[in-house]
Amino acid sequence: MKKALLNIFALSSILTTIGYIMDGDTNVPSMVLRFTEFFLMLGMVFLFMSFFYFGSVFIKRSFRKLRS
């Protein structure tokens, strides 16, 4: 589980960085606001990816228990 969380975090940080670079909004002069936006987006992407990954693993295990 620790390796899965680390992989999800790495993938979400890559996706967040790409999304933040490709963002077409005007630059905000406050550096604190930039970091806040980045880390909040990183947290949201991480939570969504974790929810779907662990949810699908749970459903897959539940179906395997039903079949046996």
Side-chain angles (χ1 to χ4, degrees):
M1 185 165 141
K2 184 177 178 182
K3 186 175 180 181
L5 282 175
L6 199 61
N7 288 339
I8 291 171
F9 182 75
L11 184 62
S12 64
S13 65
I14 290 169
L15 289 175
T16 303
T17 304
I18 291 171
Y20 195 76
I21 290 171
M22 291 179 63
D23 189 16
D25 290 345
T26 59
N27 289 340
V28 180
S30 173
M31 210 50 175
V32 173
L33 187 58
R34 286 185 190 181
F35 281 116
T36 304
E37 285 179 355
F38 180 79
F39 286 116
L40 286 177
M41 186 57 73
L42 177 65
M44 289 175 17
V45 171
F46 177 75
L47 286 176
F48 288 140
M49 290 177 70
S50 297
F51 176 76
F52 285 116
Y53 174 75
F54 289 116
S56 66
V57 168
F58 175 74
I59 289 171
K60 189 166 78 171
R61 286 184 185 167
S62 297
F63 282 139
R64 283 187 183 171
K65 285 183 182 179
L66 289 175
R67 281 192 354 190
S68 12

